[in-house]
């Protein structure tokens, strides 16, 4: 039986589908394994299977006495060690090059075939492998043919994971070898035209969303366009911008901490307009009266020598802690950070310096313009600072906020401390309130907590209330590096005092729960990612206004909601993450000045308990775990016992969010809060920092497409039914391999929800009004 015949009939093929990362041992028929050559089908985006070919029937033969033959050892799946993806986008045409590194763990050579799910209208531009003899080939099969192939594999392996890609076309390669105990590198190149939505162009690289998928993908993106690109955004993976010598070319890499993140790689870029560019992703959800939206806005590229595009000038006030605990290396690093910031100011920008312990001293009564003379004086002033005394945070902050501002400049405060308030007004509530009540010049207060002996919720709240951000410098980290990194991000303000309003008669009551509620200032290279809920189905008209490059400007946008789609499932999940972050902040604030908390959970302040209940509700629905709600995914937790669930959550919030105000356990909470409130990428594995600042994740819960599933009693249970009863009663059972199962797959393809088939084990899901048991084994 040759390889061509094998490929023509996958039912009789030995197929090893190495879908990145999970080894699956030989299944099914093994009678002729020692006789027939093995053929491997590799699907880089999922898991691995092995089939054995079924020999055609033979005519009757004389009966012979069988000779004992030792059973062959079972084959192992080929291992995909890594994938290097090069994505080159030229004027909306994407060329994707996949370099796939394989390893054969078997003691015999295997023949392989590559199957790669791709977007519609993709065309193959190349296929090769190491040691290729005659020219190898590959072809694109339409999604209907791909579905037949997947069905054949599923029938043989009794594993439906490949059906996650039903609905995609597929590239099928010719046969190539992988030597015994050897390695092989395969390259596949394909092209397709990217869809555009107004000024936004979208790219997607299909991959599984299953959290057990950990093969590293090193993705590099190059975008080249005659029309300037305003911003590049990925809701799935964090990106790192790289420098390019060509001003019409953008280079982006998936960040090192995201290379093993599951899920399809999604990327969008906005083409530049005369001013701010914007686009809208919409997800329909009748439960909220319309759906969820993500507004993405980008800035024009600011060139230093452009007369028309001059960044807003900054007024920077440094407020430096010089209490006794700052003595030594910390104070020296603060000095170096201060000098670095002063050197980084542009000509014509202003600065001032405050130093404090029990008293507050200042370099100048009011900010001064940067010059050789003022910089020289500032250097001498900083050098003279000595560490001694206590920590008067209240007065230092008050003095920095009420100094007269420089007209026409963006007022920034960089506030640094390594301790708790010990002198003067030490009330956390009073200091929090001062940021709002005494900040009439609307200074942005960027806070830096040095070490972990700081009131971290206070510092985080001071920054958030003033449209700024908090940074925590952990022990053994360098203060100068951390402060310098933040200041570098504050280069060249482009849009300040940003405000979003709805326009027209159709704008009344059309949006709600906007996150963030107060829009941040946008600096060079920044983008605005705003999430919220919309009501109704008519188009949304926004007006974005503010100080744009020194002038008051407004930008109008109108977005059609008819293209809202469940493919944008990342939108409600990102919204939920931010919402939880804001609610946790409110609970943290309730613990200000409380030395013993609120006592037992049942005596918790009713307003705080209401916040806890809302967090549990959102966490359960969207599958977003926190250090307070991780027990929801714990095996044995009965989510149908609502009172017990709420009591455990209340206890966790009391012990952690309310009572812990400093130390590792507090700093970790506020680092998590910062990440949630600023969430712009999905967090598939629910990673967060524990009380020792170690990253943890959870495997008992999965976010798939726009649904969430909990592992309960060996089943993956839909979040919409998991809290109803301990033992869910099902209305129907759908078994793998039946016609009804095939109909289910068709339905899921239409709803963009085939990802649930990637999960191992049986499912209990909500389909319409029915609760259905889906038997995947």
């Amino acid at each position: 039986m040759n390889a061509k015949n094998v490929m023509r009939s996958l039912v009789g093929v030995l197929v090893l589908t190495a879908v990145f990362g999970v080894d699956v041992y030989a299944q099914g028929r093994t009678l002729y394994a020692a006789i027939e050559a093995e053929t491997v089908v590799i699907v880089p985006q999922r898991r691995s299977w092995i089939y054995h070919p079924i020999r055609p029937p033979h005519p009757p033969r004389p009966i012979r006495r069988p000779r004992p033959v030792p059973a062959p050892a079972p084959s192992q799946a080929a291992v995909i060690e890594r994938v290097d993806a090069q994505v080159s986008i030229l004027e909306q045409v994407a060329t994707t090059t996949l370099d796939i590194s394989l390893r054969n763990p078997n003691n015999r050579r295997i023949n392989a075939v590559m199957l790669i799910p791709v977007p519609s209208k993709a065309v193959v531009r190349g296929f090769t492998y190491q040691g290729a003899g005659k020219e190898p080939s590959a072809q694109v099969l339409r999604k209907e043919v791909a579905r037949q192939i997947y069905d054949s594999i599923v029938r043989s392996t009794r594993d439906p994971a490949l059906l996650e890609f039903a609905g995609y076309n597929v590239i099928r390669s010719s046969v190539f070898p992988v030597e015994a105990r050897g390695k092989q590198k395969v390259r596949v190149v394909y092209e397709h035209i990217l869809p555009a939505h107004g000024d936004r162009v979208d790219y997607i690289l299909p991959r599984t969303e299953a959290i057990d998928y950990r093969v590293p993908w090193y993705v590099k993106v190059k975008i080249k366009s005659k029309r300037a690109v305003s911003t590049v955004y990925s809701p799935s993976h964090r990106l790192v911008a790289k420098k390019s010598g060509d001003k019409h070319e953008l280079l982006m890499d998936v960040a090192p901490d995201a290379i093993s993140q599951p899920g399809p790689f999604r990327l969008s870029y906005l083409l530049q307009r005369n001013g701010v560019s914007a686009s809208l992703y919409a997800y329909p959800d009748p439960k909220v009266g319309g759906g969820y939206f993500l507004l993405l806005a980008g800035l024009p590229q600011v060139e230093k020598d452009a007369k028309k595009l001059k960044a807003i000038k900054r007024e920077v006030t440094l407020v430096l802690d010089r209490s006794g605990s700052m003595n030594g290396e910390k104070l020296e690093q603060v000095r170096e950070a201060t000098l670095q910031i002063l050197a980084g100011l542009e000509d014509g920008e202003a600065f001032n310096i405050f130093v404090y312990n029990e008293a507050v001293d200042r370099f100048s009564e009011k900010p001064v313009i940067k010059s050789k003379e003022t910089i020289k004086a500032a250097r001498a002033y900083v050098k003279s600072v000595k560490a001694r005394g206590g920590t008067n945070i209240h007065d230092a902050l008050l003095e920095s906020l009420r100094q007269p501002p420089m007209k026409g400049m963006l007022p920034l405060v960089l506030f640094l401390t390594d301790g708790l308030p010990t002198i003067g007004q030490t009330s956390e509530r009073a200091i929090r309130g001062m940021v709002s009540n005494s900040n009439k010049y609307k200074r942005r207060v960027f806070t830096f907590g040095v070490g972990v002996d700081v009131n971290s919720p206070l510092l985080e709240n001071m920054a958030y209330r003033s449209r700024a951000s908090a940074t925590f410098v952990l022990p053994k980290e360098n203060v100068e590096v951390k402060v310098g990194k933040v200041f570098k991000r504050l280069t060249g303000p482009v849009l300040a005092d940003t405000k979003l309003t709805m326009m027209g008669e159709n704008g009344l009551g059309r949006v709600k729960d906007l996150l963030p509620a107060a829009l941040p200032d946008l600096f060079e290279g920044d983008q605005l990612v705003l999430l919220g809920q919309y009501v109704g189905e008519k188009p949304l008209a926004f007006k974005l206004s503010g100080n744009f490059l020194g002038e008051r400007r407004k930008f109008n946008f109108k977005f059609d909601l008819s293209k809202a789609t469940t493919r944008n499932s990342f939108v409600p999940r990102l919204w939920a993450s931010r919402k939880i972050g804001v609610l946790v902040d409110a609970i943290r604030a309730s613990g200000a000045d409380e030395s013993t908390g609120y006592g037992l959970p049942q005596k918790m302040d009713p307003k705080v308990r209401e916040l806890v209940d809302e967090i549990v509700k959102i966490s359960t629905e969207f599958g977003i775990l926190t250090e307070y709600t991780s027990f929801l995914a714990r095996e044995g937790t009965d989510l149908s016992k609502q009172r017990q669930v709420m009591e455990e959550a209340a206890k966790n919030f009391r012990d952690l969010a309310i009572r812990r105000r400093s130390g590792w356990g507090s700093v970790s909470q506020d680092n998590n809060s910062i990440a949630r409130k600023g969430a712009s990428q999905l967090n598939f594995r629910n990673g967060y920092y524990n009380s020792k600042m170690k990253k943890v994740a959870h495997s008992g819960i999965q976010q798939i497409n726009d649904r969430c599933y909990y592992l309960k009693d060996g089943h993956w249970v839909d979040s919409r039914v998991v809290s109803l009863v301990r033992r869910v009663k099902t209305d129907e059972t759908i078994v793998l391999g039946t016609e009804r199962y095939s109909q289910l797959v068709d339905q899921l393809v239409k709803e963009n929800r085939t990802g649930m088939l990637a999960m191992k084990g049986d499912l209990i899901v909500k389909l319409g009004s029915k609760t259905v048991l889906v038997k995947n084994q």
Side-chain angles (χ1 to χ4, degrees):
M1 189 174 187
N2 60 36
K4 289 184 178 179
N5 290 332
V6 170
M7 286 304 301
R8 286 175 182 148
S9 179
L10 283 175
V11 177
V13 169
L14 161 73
V15 183
L16 162 71
T17 306
V19 186
F20 289 73
V22 182
D23 292 341
V24 179
Y25 289 88
Q27 303 180 43
R29 302 173 61 98
T30 59
L31 180 61
Y32 302 104
I35 303 174
E36 302 287 348
E38 295 182 329
T39 302
V40 176
V41 175
I42 299 174
V43 181
Q45 289 87 342
R46 195 60 202 107
R47 201 158 58 233
S48 302
W49 296 265
I50 297 179
Y51 304 91
H52 291 281
I54 303 172
R55 297 182 66 181
H58 294 282
R61 297 178 179 177
I63 299 177
R64 299 178 181 178
R65 186 183 300 275
R67 300 175 63 182
V69 177
S75 298
Q76 298 182 50
V79 177
I80 299 190
E81 297 184 322
R82 64 179 283 167
V83 180
D84 293 89
Q86 300 278 348
V87 181
S88 179
I89 302 173
L90 176 61
E91 303 296 346
Q92 208 176 320
V93 177
T95 301
T96 302
T97 302
L98 300 180
D99 290 314
I100 304 159
S101 299
L102 307 173
R103 176 171 56 85
N104 179 6
N106 299 290
N107 290 321
R108 54 184 177 274
R109 172 179 175 172
I110 56 176
N111 293 321
V113 170
M114 188 74 68
L115 291 179
I116 300 180
V118 294
S120 62
K121 298 183 181 180
V123 294
V124 181
R125 292 303 183 205
F127 168 71
T128 188
Y129 57 88
Q130 287 181 336
K134 64 178 183 178
E135 185 175 349
S137 63
Q139 65 180 126
V140 176
L141 304 178
R142 293 180 59 81
K143 59 185 179 182
E144 295 82 7
V145 179
R147 172 69 181 278
Q148 293 175 8
I149 294 175
Y150 296 158
D151 286 342
S152 298
I153 295 173
V154 169
R155 280 194 295 269
S156 299
T157 61
R158 305 297 297 173
D159 186 342
L162 269 179
L163 292 173
E164 178 180 10
F165 301 109
Y168 281 102
N169 290 353
V170 67
I171 293 176
R172 184 178 66 185
S173 75
S174 57
V175 177
F176 61 91
V178 187
E179 300 297 335
R181 297 290 174 181
K183 295 186 177 183
Q184 177 64 278
K185 285 191 176 181
V186 178
R187 168 170 286 189
V188 178
V189 184
Y190 66 89
E191 288 183 357
H192 69 295
I193 299 175
L194 302 182
H197 305 275
D199 292 329
R200 190 185 85 227
V201 180
D202 296 334
Y203 172 88
I204 185 169
L205 181 58
R207 300 194 313 160
T208 182
E209 294 188 20
I211 60 175
D212 60 1
Y213 178 76
R214 294 183 178 273
V215 171
W217 283 60
Y218 298 85
V219 182
K220 297 181 180 294
V221 181
K222 178 173 67 175
I223 302 172
K224 201 163 186 177
S225 173
K226 292 179 181 179
R227 185 176 165 189
V229 173
S230 173
T231 193
V232 181
Y233 170 64
S234 172
S236 61
H237 296 75
R238 191 169 70 85
L239 299 175
V240 177
K242 300 292 183 181
K243 290 184 178 180
S244 172
D246 186 344
K247 67 178 182 180
H248 296 291
E249 182 179 81
L250 293 178
L251 303 177
M252 314 290 291
D253 291 356
V254 167
D257 60 358
I259 59 174
S260 296
Q261 173 92 337
F265 172 64
R266 299 177 183 272
L267 178 140
S268 299
Y269 63 90
L270 291 183
L271 297 172
Q272 185 170 302
R273 283 180 171 268
N274 181 23
V276 176
S277 302
S279 186
L280 192 87
Y281 304 85
Y283 172 89
D285 189 348
K287 295 196 305 296
V288 299
Y292 297 85
F293 72 88
L294 184 154
L295 177 67
L296 173 67
L299 304 172
Q301 297 179 17
V302 178
E303 299 181 16
K304 299 295 182 182
D305 57 349
K307 294 183 179 180
K308 293 184 179 180
L309 295 180
K310 292 183 178 179
I312 303 166
K313 293 187 181 300
R314 299 166 295 178
E315 173 210 283
V316 179
T317 299
L318 294 109
V319 185
L320 311 177
D321 185 348
R322 67 180 183 105
S323 60
S325 57
M326 286 291 294
N327 194 33
E329 184 180 22
K330 283 194 288 188
L331 184 58
E332 187 58 36
Q333 290 178 358
V334 168
R335 287 196 187 101
E336 292 301 320
T338 301
L339 298 178
Q340 182 186 116
I341 289 170
L342 296 179
L345 292 172
E346 299 291 338
D347 293 338
E349 293 187 318
F351 71 92
N352 202 356
I353 304 170
F354 287 71
V355 292
Y356 69 97
N357 47 20
E358 62 270 10
V360 183
D361 297 323
R362 66 182 72 192
F363 171 71
S364 173
E365 287 300 313
K366 60 181 181 180
V368 298
I369 298 296
K370 177 185 178 181
S371 67
K372 290 182 179 179
E373 293 74 19
T374 55
I375 292 296
K376 182 178 179 180
R379 287 178 177 273
Y381 182 77
V382 171
K383 187 176 180 180
S384 69
V385 173
K386 305 296 181 184
R388 62 174 64 91
T391 309
N392 191 340
I393 288 178
H394 179 276
D395 289 359
L397 180 61
L398 178 62
E399 293 302 318
S400 66
L401 292 178
R402 69 183 185 183
Q403 64 174 328
M406 299 291 284
K407 187 176 180 180
M409 294 190 183
L410 180 64
L412 308 175
V413 174
L414 274 61
F415 190 98
L416 186 146
T417 183
D418 79 330
L420 304 171
T422 59
I423 301 293
Q425 175 61 271
T426 60
S427 165
E428 181 183 334
R429 292 184 189 274
I431 298 172
R432 282 172 176 256
M434 183 174 57
V435 176
S436 300
N437 302 328
S438 301
N439 190 10
K440 68 177 182 178
Y441 301 120
K442 298 181 180 179
R443 283 188 161 85
R444 283 62 163 161
V445 184
F446 292 84
T447 58
F448 297 86
V450 181
V452 296
D453 296 324
V454 295
N455 187 323
S456 61
L458 170 61
L459 296 180
E460 204 281 328
N461 185 265
M462 286 166 54
Y464 189 72
R465 283 194 180 194
S466 63
R467 300 189 184 190
S469 62
T471 301
F472 296 98
V473 186
L474 301 179
K476 298 183 180 181
E477 289 186 330
N478 189 294
V479 180
E480 178 186 355
V481 172
K482 276 290 189 79
V483 175
K485 186 176 180 180
V486 171
F487 186 69
K488 183 178 180 181
R489 202 182 74 236
L490 303 180
T491 300
V494 177
L495 183 62
D497 300 319
T498 316
K499 185 179 180 181
L500 185 77
T501 53
M502 300 299 298
M503 297 173 58
E505 295 180 359
N506 292 332
L508 298 176
R510 294 297 310 283
V511 296
K512 57 184 179 180
D513 266 329
L514 298 182
L515 300 168
L519 301 187
D521 304 311
L522 300 179
F523 298 81
E524 284 184 23
D526 274 353
Q527 58 188 204
L528 173 66
V529 179
L530 176 69
L531 290 137
Q533 297 177 352
Y534 66 85
V535 178
E537 298 180 354
K538 294 181 179 180
L540 292 176
F542 294 103
K543 178 175 70 175
L544 193 65
S545 59
N547 179 354
F548 180 76
L549 298 171
E551 299 179 359
R552 299 301 302 180
R553 290 278 304 274
K554 60 182 180 180
F555 305 93
N556 298 332
F557 305 98
K558 188 173 183 179
F559 302 108
D560 186 2
L561 295 176
S562 64
K563 295 184 179 179
T565 172
T566 54
R567 289 189 183 276
N568 294 333
S569 58
F570 57 87
V571 175
R573 188 157 286 122
L574 291 176
W575 175 89
S577 179
R578 290 191 181 188
K579 185 67 174 180
I580 289 172
V582 171
L583 295 174
V584 169
D585 263 12
I587 295 176
R588 292 279 273 163
S590 72
D593 302 331
E594 294 289 341
S595 59
T596 60
Y598 283 90
L600 296 175
Q602 58 267 29
K603 295 182 180 180
M604 180 177 280
D605 185 303
K607 293 182 180 179
V608 177
R609 176 173 284 281
E610 187 176 311
L611 296 174
V612 172
D613 292 351
E614 183 65 14
I615 291 173
V616 172
K617 178 182 176 183
I618 296 174
S619 295
T620 303
E621 178 181 356
F622 293 94
I624 297 173
L625 300 183
T626 66
E627 55 268 57
Y628 321 104
T629 58
S630 60
F631 70 92
L632 295 174
R634 184 180 63 207
E635 185 65 32
T637 298
D638 187 351
L639 297 182
S640 66
K641 296 181 178 179
Q642 289 291 298
R643 183 169 182 176
Q644 292 182 10
V645 169
M646 294 303 177
E647 292 304 321
E648 184 164 358
K651 179 180 183 302
N652 291 340
F653 277 105
R654 179 201 63 185
D655 294 343
L656 299 176
I658 293 175
R659 289 184 172 177
R660 291 193 187 179
R661 318 303 290 178
S662 64
W664 287 101
S666 181
V667 172
S668 65
Q669 290 183 67
D670 288 297
N671 270 307
N672 292 331
S673 179
I674 292 168
R676 291 186 195 107
K677 290 189 297 185
S680 295
Q681 281 82 37
L682 294 173
N683 182 6
F684 281 100
R685 296 193 178 100
N686 273 295
Y688 60 83
Y689 292 106
N690 64 12
S691 60
K692 297 180 181 179
M693 278 299 293
K694 302 294 184 183
K695 205 67 177 284
V696 297
H698 295 272
S699 59
I701 186 172
Q702 292 201 58
Q703 305 166 359
I704 301 286
N705 301 134
D706 60 345
R707 296 287 183 256
C708 166
Y709 303 89
Y710 291 81
L711 185 60
K712 299 296 180 184
D713 299 325
H715 296 80
W716 287 104
V717 184
D718 194 323
S719 65
R720 295 170 296 171
V721 299
V722 71
S723 60
L724 298 180
V725 291
R726 181 71 175 90
R727 298 287 181 183
V728 180
K729 295 181 179 179
T730 57
D731 303 309
E732 182 184 4
T733 298
I734 301 177
V735 180
L736 177 66
T738 63
E739 181 62 28
R740 181 68 182 92
Y741 194 96
S742 181
Q743 294 172 358
L744 170 64
V745 176
D746 293 338
Q747 178 182 343
L748 296 177
V749 169
K750 292 178 181 178
E751 297 176 355
N752 303 310
R753 294 186 175 116
T754 53
M756 75 179 208
L757 302 175
M759 295 184 292
K760 295 180 180 179
D762 296 339
L763 312 173
I764 298 177
V765 300
K766 194 76 172 177
L767 295 177
S769 60
K770 291 184 177 181
T771 300
V772 178
L773 170 63
V774 180
K775 298 189 71 64
N776 278 334
Q777 296 174 341

